[in-house]
Amino acid sequence: MPSKILCIFLFLLVPSSAAEDTFTFNGFRGGTNVSLDGVAYVNPDGLLLVTDAVRQTMGHAFYPAPLQFRSPRRGKILSFSSTFVFAMVSQYPEVNGCGLAFVVSATNNLSAALPNEYLGLFNKANNGNSRNRILAVELDNLQNMEFGDIDDNHVGIDINSLISVSARTASYYDGTTNQFKNLSLVSGQAMQVWVDYGGDDMILNVTISPVETAKPNQPLLSSVVDLSNVVSDSMYVGFASGTGAFFTSHCVLGWSFKMNGTAPALDYTKLPPVPQFKTGSRSRKLAIWLTVASTLFVLLVASGVVFLVRRRIKYAELLEDWEREYGPHRFSYKDLFKATSGFKDKELLGIGGFGRVYRGVLPTSNIEVAVKRVSHDSKQGMKEFVAEIVSIGQLRHRNIVRLLGYCRRKGELLLVYDYMPNGSLDKFLHEQSKPALTWAQRFCIIKGVASGLLYLHEDWEQVVIHRDIKASNVLLDSEMNGRLGDFGLARLYEHGSGPQTTHVVGTMGYIAPELGRTGKATTATDVFAYGAFLLEVACGRRPIESKSEQMVLVDWVLENWKKGSVLATCDPRLREEFSVAEMELVLKLGLLCSHPMPAARPGMRQVMQFLDGDAAFPELTPAHLNFSILSLLEKEGFDDYIMSFPSTMATMSAVSGAR
Ligand SMILES: *[C@@H]1O[C@H](CO)[C@@H](O)[C@H](O)[C@H]1NC(C)=O
Ligand SMILES: *[C@@H]1O[C@H](CO)[C@@H](O)[C@H](O)[C@H]1NC(C)=O
Ligand SMILES: *[C@@H]1O[C@H](CO)[C@@H](O)[C@H](O)[C@H]1NC(C)=O
Ligand SMILES: *[C@@H]1O[C@H](CO)[C@@H](O)[C@H](O)[C@H]1NC(C)=O
Ligand SMILES: *[C@@H]1O[C@H](CO)[C@@H](O)[C@H](O)[C@H]1NC(C)=O
């Protein structure tokens, strides 16, 4: 090559400003500053969702132009520094998606990578290959033994491979106590990460902390990392994320980067809000702000007037004309406020999928109640929903939690139930702090729930589909009888409009395959969920566990049944103290109810007869039970279901739940 051309060529390769590459994004409004692929998108608030609550998908977001990582003259690797604020929001706190990674990569085309534990970075074939030329800082929620992951909540430095060169449990250094404090990556809270690399000492530091706290003095990870075989002249920087079987959004709120210097600070006031599956830090900030504002207000305005105004705001309700007919079921907010001592934390019974539940004592009657606060904005569907809960409120059955009434405020619905002193079954099954239930208690609960469900399906004046049968929706009264609670709420969310399309109706592991496909809840989809519930109670395990690998309970019980070892699946906390006949019946019935073909599942009346011993349980054959729920879920397009959820919603309202 003639030397003149070479010179020009070199000149083109080496723009003089390259080493000053720096950028700051306080939110990604307009979405113009990052190039996206896969499922990644920027929402109207400017939040970058690298993956969004869809199963088995991946997404990438890169700074559009490659950056110069080596000094123009000597080819030395430059120092660089980056900081970003992220949040991982999972719909179900007990399970989580896979994770998010900050990436420095020779290519911005990672389309050949896999989701799940591969985090959208690598695939089975290229994991560990030095030609990948990828440096990643992983925020990983899955403990994968194959990759030597230390736990299911860690930060790691990865070079060309998911086997981290260095990793630690997510935690941050607290200068006041000189100790590291644990953080939960998937808590839904915003957190900040700093990635700093020193070109001279080759030390890569990774630091993490809750958002808006100062950068901790000590990094979480500090490792010598030789990037000489990783970093070429120009590299792309950005984010990659993969989701697994569960619905988790991996979001980036803000990001800055600087070559050969310290990344500019982010302006927290400009960052977009974290999506609200749970209450995030922003609403707390708002609450504090509101308190301050109202205090100032008190100081400024004559106190008498303020008293009246505040009182009115405090107890304000929404009451529309169509609600007049429900008069007797309507509670005043003031009464509920007083009953729960102003929704004090000490009255908090629990936080469920749909909202917080408080214990209370109604002022005049002294009846103990549980008050559930459901945040809900949508006008659409509210009228039908209230009509439905009022009609359900007329149901009376010893295995159904009685709904006493409701109250409505702006953006909020309050539901008043009978108080259940022993709380939810879920806790007894999965929390070691609670005593293990005996088999007699469990069998009684199983029968009770069956009886309540039979009543809803067949014995009341209209068919009621529960839609969200699961252990956490089974409450225990003072005599430890199981009672079904929370029905109808799933339906409220079916009607819900707007961006909450990720609210899947029902709960993973309890959702029948055909419900995923058609979006249509039927008595048979309730029976499927009841099947999952039976196995959960008998085995003391959740329908889907994601500790190391995703374990689908039905598949595991089924495998054991095929091997003739079905009794090996029962809950070890029972210490083998149970009736073998009853245990076998429950496990087999659980399998039968979990059959992927709706027609193969028994009806609730039959279930009741099997449990009461009034009908002989059919002989199950391997041919009859030749299925794997996991592969079905994967094959049958649960993703499609979620994606097309807005249209299935329309179908569902039209069909009105197969009433
Ligand atoms: C982001 O993109 C906009 C529009 O393309 C551009 O004006 C702005 O300078 C970019 N910001 C940064 C920090 O690169
Ligand atoms: C990097 O920064 C240092 C000090 O700020 C400066 O002396 C050096 O020239 C910079 N290197 C490049 C390649 O810009
Ligand atoms: C990205 O890589 C894949 C294969 O790895 C290739 O098929 C595809 O064409 C590439 N896309 C672009 C835009 O280069
Ligand atoms: C932090 O988490 C690790 C790993 O889960 C655990 O071993 C450790 O005890 C936790 N530390 C605290 C202070 O909770
Ligand atoms: C990394 O952390 C160590 C220990 O805190 C510190 O001495 C070093 O300067 C840091 N390096 C960079 C590039 O921030």
Side-chain angles (χ1 to χ4, degrees):
M1 202 188 290
S3 62
K4 217 190 228 165
I5 298 183
L6 186 67
C7 267
I8 294 169
F9 194 45
L10 274 179
F11 181 74
L12 284 179
L13 266 182
V14 182
S16 58
S17 67
E20 265 100 64
D21 275 327
T22 173
F23 56 79
T24 307
F25 304 133
N26 291 305
F28 298 84
R29 276 165 212 89
T32 50
N33 301 95
V34 278
S35 57
L36 307 171
D37 74 46
V39 296
Y41 74 100
V42 172
N43 81 4
D45 288 337
L47 181 74
L48 166 60
L49 290 107
V50 189
T51 50
D52 181 19
V54 179
R55 295 169 76 240
Q56 322 273 17
T57 53
M58 63 175 180
H60 304 107
F62 282 104
Y63 185 69
L67 305 179
Q68 203 68 38
F69 269 71
R70 286 175 184 264
S71 78
R73 259 155 287 134
R74 284 179 296 139
K76 194 172 97 39
I77 295 173
L78 292 170
S79 299
F80 63 87
S81 157
S82 185
T83 183
F84 59 94
V85 173
F86 75 96
M88 298 182 188
V89 190
S90 177
Q91 197 170 7
Y92 306 112
E94 67 269 25
V95 293
N96 42 52
C98 286
L100 175 74
F102 170 77
V103 195
V104 177
S105 164
T107 167
N108 61 355
N109 179 3
L110 296 177
S111 60
L114 292 173
N116 278 321
E117 66 269 29
Y118 290 92
L119 299 175
L121 291 171
F122 306 110
N123 58 38
K124 288 192 175 90
N126 73 9
N127 186 30
N129 190 328
S130 61
R131 276 180 311 198
N132 290 331
R133 310 194 77 140
I134 289 179
L135 161 72
V137 173
E138 62 168 39
L139 306 164
D140 192 350
N141 297 314
L142 196 73
Q143 182 173 23
N144 192 300
M145 299 302 173
E146 197 189 336
F147 304 147
D149 284 345
I150 52 167
D151 60 19
D152 61 356
N153 180 46
H154 62 271
V155 180
I157 298 174
D158 298 349
I159 293 185
N160 297 328
S161 167
L162 286 156
I163 301 175
S164 305
V165 295
S166 166
R168 261 176 89 176
T169 299
S171 52
Y172 70 103
Y173 182 75
D174 178 4
T176 55
T177 59
N178 294 339
Q179 271 172 348
F180 276 86
K181 279 194 179 165
N182 283 352
L183 284 171
S184 164
L185 293 175
V186 76
S187 62
Q189 304 294 327
M191 289 171 227
Q192 184 163 8
V193 174
W194 293 263
V195 177
D196 300 294
Y197 185 71
D200 293 325
D201 56 11
M202 299 201 290
I203 290 180
L204 181 68
N205 287 345
V206 180
T207 314
I208 180 169
S209 80
V211 74
E212 295 187 35
T213 55
K215 182 180 180 181
N217 294 333
Q218 283 189 26
L220 176 63
L221 297 172
S222 184
S223 291
V224 174
V225 175
D226 182 358
L227 292 180
S228 53
N229 292 322
V230 177
V231 167
S232 46
D233 260 342
S234 70
M235 300 288 284
Y236 288 89
V237 288
F239 300 93
S241 168
T243 54
F246 303 102
F247 305 99
T248 307
S249 299
H250 298 98
C251 324
V252 180
L253 287 73
W255 177 31
S256 73
F257 184 95
K258 186 167 171 62
M259 195 62 80
N260 195 32
T262 304
L266 298 173
D267 181 348
Y268 302 121
T269 61
K270 290 192 183 146
L271 302 184
V274 178
Q276 297 285 311
F277 286 151
K278 296 186 206 153
T279 348
S281 59
R282 263 193 175 242
S283 62
R284 214 179 309 133
K285 233 173 73 186
L286 187 68
I288 293 168
W289 189 86
L290 282 177
T291 317
V292 171
S294 63
T295 315
L296 283 176
F297 194 47
V298 174
L299 294 174
L300 288 172
V301 189
S303 60
V305 178
V306 171
F307 176 75
L308 289 177
V309 170
R310 274 173 59 111
R311 193 182 152 93
R312 185 177 270 175
I313 292 172
K314 186 164 157 192
Y315 300 130
E317 296 176 22
L318 277 188
L319 182 64
E320 289 175 64
D321 279 347
W322 55 262
E323 287 180 85
R324 304 275 172 216
E325 58 180 293
Y326 305 132
H329 298 282
R330 175 100 196 193
F331 282 80
S332 80
Y333 182 68
K334 194 170 154 184
D335 281 354
L336 298 182
F337 190 88
K338 288 196 169 140
T340 56
S341 322
F343 297 100
K344 281 244 164 57
D345 277 351
K346 87 174 174 12
E347 303 291 358
L348 186 66
L349 293 172
I351 302 176
F354 295 109
R356 292 166 169 259
V357 188
Y358 296 83
R359 195 196 73 96
V361 179
L362 291 179
T364 43
S365 56
N366 274 344
I367 296 177
E368 239 182 332
V369 292
V371 182
K372 180 162 214 159
R373 305 182 80 162
V374 183
S375 70
H376 197 75
D377 282 326
S378 144
K379 284 211 172 58
Q380 190 204 356
M382 182 52 85
K383 192 167 164 181
E384 287 154 295
F385 178 73
V386 170
E388 173 153 321
I389 53 175
V390 168
S391 95
I392 285 176
Q394 289 157 11
L395 295 171
R396 291 292 178 267
H397 188 278
R398 66 189 296 261
N399 297 109
I400 289 177
V401 179
R402 201 155 55 121
L403 178 72
L404 302 171
Y406 76 103
C407 173
R408 224 152 61 81
R409 308 185 82 205
K410 194 161 187 296
E412 187 176 47
L413 179 72
L414 296 102
L415 298 171
V416 185
Y417 295 97
D418 266 346
Y419 174 66
M420 294 288 123
N422 282 312
S424 87
L425 172 60
D426 184 63
K427 298 215 165 60
F428 283 89
L429 291 178
H430 304 298
E431 281 179 16
Q432 298 298 325
S433 58
K434 293 269 184 187
L437 295 172
T438 65
W439 177 249
Q441 283 172 321
R442 294 186 202 212
F443 197 57
C444 167
I445 292 166
I446 284 171
K447 280 173 141 181
V449 172
S451 148
L453 198 51
L454 172 61
Y455 176 74
L456 292 179
H457 283 183
E458 299 187 22
D459 291 343
W460 201 49
E461 52 200 52
Q462 62 194 91
V463 177
V464 176
I465 296 167
H466 185 287
R467 289 157 200 261
D468 202 7
I469 305 230
K470 55 179 173 180
S472 55
N473 277 343
V474 170
L475 298 158
L476 301 173
D477 64 17
S478 53
E479 285 139 22
M480 299 298 275
N481 291 305
R483 295 183 179 222
L484 272 170
D486 244 5
F487 33 92
L489 277 183
R491 196 173 157 84
L492 177 64
Y493 282 88
E494 281 169 10
H495 289 296
S497 58
Q500 279 118 331
T501 48
T502 47
H503 274 290
V504 182
V505 184
T507 303
M508 278 309 291
Y510 296 92
I511 304 175
E514 79 273 12
L515 179 57
R517 222 170 31 238
T518 63
K520 192 166 135 190
T522 62
T523 51
T525 57
D526 267 1
V527 171
F528 182 93
Y530 180 74
F533 164 78
L534 285 181
L535 298 180
E536 182 172 5
V537 175
C539 306
R541 286 167 172 254
R542 297 186 192 279
I544 297 186
E545 286 182 353
S546 71
K547 266 291 166 213
S548 52
E549 274 168 55
Q550 282 144 14
M551 192 203 75
V552 177
L553 183 55
V554 183
D555 293 346
W556 182 64
V557 175
L558 190 58
E559 261 166 47
N560 276 283
W561 175 77
K562 284 182 184 158
K563 285 189 289 193
S565 58
V566 73
L567 286 178
T569 61
C570 65
D571 189 350
R573 289 178 87 197
L574 286 168
R575 298 167 196 278
E576 309 209 348
E577 285 164 11
F578 51 79
S579 144
V580 170
E582 281 173 6
M583 177 60 87
E584 272 188 349
L585 172 66
V586 168
L587 288 169
K588 286 186 341 197
L589 186 56
L591 290 178
L592 191 61
C593 292
S594 303
H595 200 286
M597 303 295 296
R601 294 171 211 150
M604 282 317 292
R605 187 164 308 280
Q606 244 186 323
V607 167
M608 205 64 232
Q609 286 167 345
F610 294 145
L611 289 171
D612 284 338
D614 292 342
F617 193 77
E619 199 56 45
L620 298 182
T621 64
H624 186 207
L625 291 182
N626 196 7
F627 60 84
S628 149
I629 292 291
L630 180 62
S631 58
L632 263 167
L633 289 180
E634 271 163 10
K635 259 193 241 128
E636 302 230 357
F638 249 54
D639 301 351
D640 298 348
Y641 166 52
I642 306 307
M643 306 254 212
S644 63
F645 196 66
S647 58
T648 33
M649 264 197 313
T651 325
M652 279 189 283
S653 348
V655 176
S656 214
R659 284 220 170 162

PDB file of all heavy atoms in Angstrom, residues 165-183:
ATOM      1  N   VAL A 165     -14.726 -13.985  36.288  1.00  0.00           N
ATOM      2  CA  VAL A 165     -13.375 -13.989  36.832  1.00  0.00           C
ATOM      3  C   VAL A 165     -13.398 -13.558  38.292  1.00  0.00           C
ATOM      4  O   VAL A 165     -12.486 -13.855  39.057  1.00  0.00           O
ATOM      5  CB  VAL A 165     -12.400 -13.089  36.024  1.00  0.00           C
ATOM      6  CG1 VAL A 165     -12.214 -13.639  34.627  1.00  0.00           C
ATOM      7  CG2 VAL A 165     -12.892 -11.661  35.958  1.00  0.00           C
ATOM      8  N   SER A 166     -14.463 -12.865  38.654  1.00  0.00           N
ATOM      9  CA  SER A 166     -14.579 -12.403  40.021  1.00  0.00           C
ATOM     10  C   SER A 166     -16.054 -12.103  40.273  1.00  0.00           C
ATOM     11  O   SER A 166     -16.725 -11.554  39.403  1.00  0.00           O
ATOM     12  CB  SER A 166     -13.718 -11.147  40.166  1.00  0.00           C
ATOM     13  OG  SER A 166     -14.023 -10.473  41.350  1.00  0.00           O
ATOM     14  N   ALA A 167     -16.564 -12.493  41.434  1.00  0.00           N
ATOM     15  CA  ALA A 167     -17.986 -12.250  41.713  1.00  0.00           C
ATOM     16  C   ALA A 167     -18.207 -12.152  43.211  1.00  0.00           C
ATOM     17  O   ALA A 167     -17.467 -12.743  44.003  1.00  0.00           O
ATOM     18  CB  ALA A 167     -18.837 -13.384  41.147  1.00  0.00           C
ATOM     19  N   ARG A 168     -19.207 -11.376  43.590  1.00  0.00           N
ATOM     20  CA  ARG A 168     -19.591 -11.284  45.001  1.00  0.00           C
ATOM     21  C   ARG A 168     -21.085 -11.057  45.117  1.00  0.00           C
ATOM     22  O   ARG A 168     -21.691 -10.471  44.229  1.00  0.00           O
ATOM     23  CB  ARG A 168     -18.882 -10.088  45.662  1.00  0.00           C
ATOM     24  CG  ARG A 168     -17.639 -10.488  46.442  1.00  0.00           C
ATOM     25  CD  ARG A 168     -16.944  -9.286  46.987  1.00  0.00           C
ATOM     26  NE  ARG A 168     -17.434  -8.912  48.318  1.00  0.00           N
ATOM     27  CZ  ARG A 168     -16.927  -7.920  49.037  1.00  0.00           C
ATOM     28  NH1 ARG A 168     -15.933  -7.195  48.548  1.00  0.00           N
ATOM     29  NH2 ARG A 168     -17.410  -7.631  50.222  1.00  0.00           N
ATOM     30  N   THR A 169     -21.643 -11.495  46.234  1.00  0.00           N
ATOM     31  CA  THR A 169     -23.045 -11.216  46.530  1.00  0.00           C
ATOM     32  C   THR A 169     -23.282  -9.710  46.465  1.00  0.00           C
ATOM     33  O   THR A 169     -22.465  -8.936  46.976  1.00  0.00           O
ATOM     34  CB  THR A 169     -23.375 -11.711  47.949  1.00  0.00           C
ATOM     35  OG1 THR A 169     -23.156 -13.112  47.980  1.00  0.00           O
ATOM     36  CG2 THR A 169     -24.819 -11.417  48.326  1.00  0.00           C
ATOM     37  N   ALA A 170     -24.376  -9.316  45.848  1.00  0.00           N
ATOM     38  CA  ALA A 170     -24.673  -7.895  45.717  1.00  0.00           C
ATOM     39  C   ALA A 170     -24.697  -7.233  47.088  1.00  0.00           C
ATOM     40  O   ALA A 170     -25.467  -7.632  47.964  1.00  0.00           O
ATOM     41  CB  ALA A 170     -26.012  -7.701  45.018  1.00  0.00           C
ATOM     42  N   SER A 171     -23.834  -6.263  47.294  1.00  0.00           N
ATOM     43  CA  SER A 171     -23.779  -5.570  48.576  1.00  0.00           C
ATOM     44  C   SER A 171     -22.978  -4.287  48.397  1.00  0.00           C
ATOM     45  O   SER A 171     -22.282  -4.126  47.401  1.00  0.00           O
ATOM     46  CB  SER A 171     -23.127  -6.454  49.647  1.00  0.00           C
ATOM     47  OG  SER A 171     -21.884  -6.935  49.196  1.00  0.00           O
ATOM     48  N   TYR A 172     -23.092  -3.393  49.328  1.00  0.00           N
ATOM     49  CA  TYR A 172     -22.354  -2.140  49.208  1.00  0.00           C
ATOM     50  C   TYR A 172     -21.703  -1.781  50.535  1.00  0.00           C
ATOM     51  O   TYR A 172     -22.189  -2.144  51.606  1.00  0.00           O
ATOM     52  CB  TYR A 172     -23.258  -1.011  48.717  1.00  0.00           C
ATOM     53  CG  TYR A 172     -24.299  -0.552  49.719  1.00  0.00           C
ATOM     54  CD1 TYR A 172     -24.137   0.628  50.434  1.00  0.00           C
ATOM     55  CD2 TYR A 172     -25.439  -1.309  49.939  1.00  0.00           C
ATOM     56  CE1 TYR A 172     -25.090   1.047  51.358  1.00  0.00           C
ATOM     57  CE2 TYR A 172     -26.396  -0.905  50.852  1.00  0.00           C
ATOM     58  CZ  TYR A 172     -26.214   0.277  51.559  1.00  0.00           C
ATOM     59  OH  TYR A 172     -27.150   0.670  52.461  1.00  0.00           O
ATOM     60  N   TYR A 173     -20.599  -1.067  50.419  1.00  0.00           N
ATOM     61  CA  TYR A 173     -19.823  -0.701  51.585  1.00  0.00           C
ATOM     62  C   TYR A 173     -20.470   0.492  52.275  1.00  0.00           C
ATOM     63  O   TYR A 173     -20.731   1.521  51.656  1.00  0.00           O
ATOM     64  CB  TYR A 173     -18.406  -0.353  51.149  1.00  0.00           C
ATOM     65  CG  TYR A 173     -17.512   0.006  52.304  1.00  0.00           C
ATOM     66  CD1 TYR A 173     -17.032  -0.980  53.149  1.00  0.00           C
ATOM     67  CD2 TYR A 173     -17.158   1.328  52.533  1.00  0.00           C
ATOM     68  CE1 TYR A 173     -16.216  -0.657  54.213  1.00  0.00           C
ATOM     69  CE2 TYR A 173     -16.342   1.661  53.599  1.00  0.00           C
ATOM     70  CZ  TYR A 173     -15.877   0.664  54.434  1.00  0.00           C
ATOM     71  OH  TYR A 173     -15.076   0.989  55.486  1.00  0.00           O
ATOM     72  N   ASP A 174     -20.744   0.314  53.554  1.00  0.00           N
ATOM     73  CA  ASP A 174     -21.368   1.383  54.312  1.00  0.00           C
ATOM     74  C   ASP A 174     -20.293   2.012  55.208  1.00  0.00           C
ATOM     75  O   ASP A 174     -19.804   1.380  56.146  1.00  0.00           O
ATOM     76  CB  ASP A 174     -22.511   0.788  55.146  1.00  0.00           C
ATOM     77  CG  ASP A 174     -23.191   1.844  56.008  1.00  0.00           C
ATOM     78  OD1 ASP A 174     -22.820   3.031  55.880  1.00  0.00           O
ATOM     79  OD2 ASP A 174     -24.084   1.486  56.788  1.00  0.00           O
ATOM     80  N   GLY A 175     -19.915   3.245  54.883  1.00  0.00           N
ATOM     81  CA  GLY A 175     -18.825   3.915  55.571  1.00  0.00           C
ATOM     82  C   GLY A 175     -19.062   4.106  57.059  1.00  0.00           C
ATOM     83  O   GLY A 175     -18.115   4.138  57.849  1.00  0.00           O
ATOM     84  N   THR A 176     -20.326   4.197  57.482  1.00  0.00           N
ATOM     85  CA  THR A 176     -20.584   4.471  58.893  1.00  0.00           C
ATOM     86  C   THR A 176     -20.340   3.243  59.754  1.00  0.00           C
ATOM     87  O   THR A 176     -19.922   3.342  60.900  1.00  0.00           O
ATOM     88  CB  THR A 176     -22.022   4.977  59.119  1.00  0.00           C
ATOM     89  OG1 THR A 176     -22.921   4.007  58.562  1.00  0.00           O
ATOM     90  CG2 THR A 176     -22.252   6.316  58.457  1.00  0.00           C
ATOM     91  N   THR A 177     -20.589   2.044  59.205  1.00  0.00           N
ATOM     92  CA  THR A 177     -20.379   0.822  59.989  1.00  0.00           C
ATOM     93  C   THR A 177     -19.150   0.058  59.524  1.00  0.00           C
ATOM     94  O   THR A 177     -18.795  -0.954  60.128  1.00  0.00           O
ATOM     95  CB  THR A 177     -21.593  -0.114  59.858  1.00  0.00           C
ATOM     96  OG1 THR A 177     -21.758  -0.423  58.465  1.00  0.00           O
ATOM     97  CG2 THR A 177     -22.860   0.513  60.370  1.00  0.00           C
ATOM     98  N   ASN A 178     -18.511   0.544  58.452  1.00  0.00           N
ATOM     99  CA  ASN A 178     -17.371  -0.159  57.853  1.00  0.00           C
ATOM    100  C   ASN A 178     -17.711  -1.592  57.487  1.00  0.00           C
ATOM    101  O   ASN A 178     -16.906  -2.488  57.633  1.00  0.00           O
ATOM    102  CB  ASN A 178     -16.167  -0.170  58.801  1.00  0.00           C
ATOM    103  CG  ASN A 178     -15.630   1.225  59.001  1.00  0.00           C
ATOM    104  OD1 ASN A 178     -15.891   2.102  58.154  1.00  0.00           O
ATOM    105  ND2 ASN A 178     -14.919   1.444  60.077  1.00  0.00           N
ATOM    106  N   GLN A 179     -18.948  -1.804  57.053  1.00  0.00           N
ATOM    107  CA  GLN A 179     -19.332  -3.158  56.671  1.00  0.00           C
ATOM    108  C   GLN A 179     -20.059  -3.144  55.338  1.00  0.00           C
ATOM    109  O   GLN A 179     -20.612  -2.119  54.946  1.00  0.00           O
ATOM    110  CB  GLN A 179     -20.269  -3.748  57.718  1.00  0.00           C
ATOM    111  CG  GLN A 179     -19.526  -4.454  58.816  1.00  0.00           C
ATOM    112  CD  GLN A 179     -20.440  -4.871  59.935  1.00  0.00           C
ATOM    113  OE1 GLN A 179     -21.603  -4.448  60.001  1.00  0.00           O
ATOM    114  NE2 GLN A 179     -19.932  -5.691  60.818  1.00  0.00           N
ATOM    115  N   PHE A 180     -20.058  -4.307  54.697  1.00  0.00           N
ATOM    116  CA  PHE A 180     -20.850  -4.434  53.478  1.00  0.00           C
ATOM    117  C   PHE A 180     -22.281  -4.810  53.839  1.00  0.00           C
ATOM    118  O   PHE A 180     -22.502  -5.688  54.669  1.00  0.00           O
ATOM    119  CB  PHE A 180     -20.229  -5.476  52.542  1.00  0.00           C
ATOM    120  CG  PHE A 180     -19.140  -4.890  51.688  1.00  0.00           C
ATOM    121  CD1 PHE A 180     -17.836  -4.814  52.143  1.00  0.00           C
ATOM    122  CD2 PHE A 180     -19.446  -4.388  50.432  1.00  0.00           C
ATOM    123  CE1 PHE A 180     -16.846  -4.256  51.357  1.00  0.00           C
ATOM    124  CE2 PHE A 180     -18.458  -3.822  49.643  1.00  0.00           C
ATOM    125  CZ  PHE A 180     -17.156  -3.752  50.100  1.00  0.00           C
ATOM    126  N   LYS A 181     -23.206  -4.118  53.209  1.00  0.00           N
ATOM    127  CA  LYS A 181     -24.621  -4.411  53.461  1.00  0.00           C
ATOM    128  C   LYS A 181     -25.211  -5.093  52.237  1.00  0.00           C
ATOM    129  O   LYS A 181     -24.991  -4.633  51.112  1.00  0.00           O
ATOM    130  CB  LYS A 181     -25.383  -3.105  53.678  1.00  0.00           C
ATOM    131  CG  LYS A 181     -25.263  -2.536  55.054  1.00  0.00           C
ATOM    132  CD  LYS A 181     -26.330  -1.467  55.206  1.00  0.00           C
ATOM    133  CE  LYS A 181     -26.314  -0.847  56.584  1.00  0.00           C
ATOM    134  NZ  LYS A 181     -27.089   0.393  56.610  1.00  0.00           N
ATOM    135  N   ASN A 182     -25.985  -6.136  52.448  1.00  0.00           N
ATOM    136  CA  ASN A 182     -26.569  -6.852  51.318  1.00  0.00           C
ATOM    137  C   ASN A 182     -27.624  -6.021  50.606  1.00  0.00           C
ATOM    138  O   ASN A 182     -28.358  -5.249  51.214  1.00  0.00           O
ATOM    139  CB  ASN A 182     -27.216  -8.150  51.805  1.00  0.00           C
ATOM    140  CG  ASN A 182     -26.183  -9.223  52.081  1.00  0.00           C
ATOM    141  OD1 ASN A 182     -25.003  -9.041  51.769  1.00  0.00           O
ATOM    142  ND2 ASN A 182     -26.623 -10.330  52.639  1.00  0.00           N
ATOM    143  N   LEU A 183     -27.692  -6.228  49.302  1.00  0.00           N
ATOM    144  CA  LEU A 183     -28.717  -5.598  48.485  1.00  0.00           C
ATOM    145  C   LEU A 183     -29.441  -6.711  47.744  1.00  0.00           C
ATOM    146  O   LEU A 183     -28.829  -7.708  47.392  1.00  0.00           O
ATOM    147  CB  LEU A 183     -28.068  -4.707  47.429  1.00  0.00           C
ATOM    148  CG  LEU A 183     -27.495  -3.369  47.824  1.00  0.00           C
ATOM    149  CD1 LEU A 183     -26.720  -2.806  46.648  1.00  0.00           C
ATOM    150  CD2 LEU A 183     -28.617  -2.425  48.199  1.00  0.00           C
TER     151      LEU A 183
END
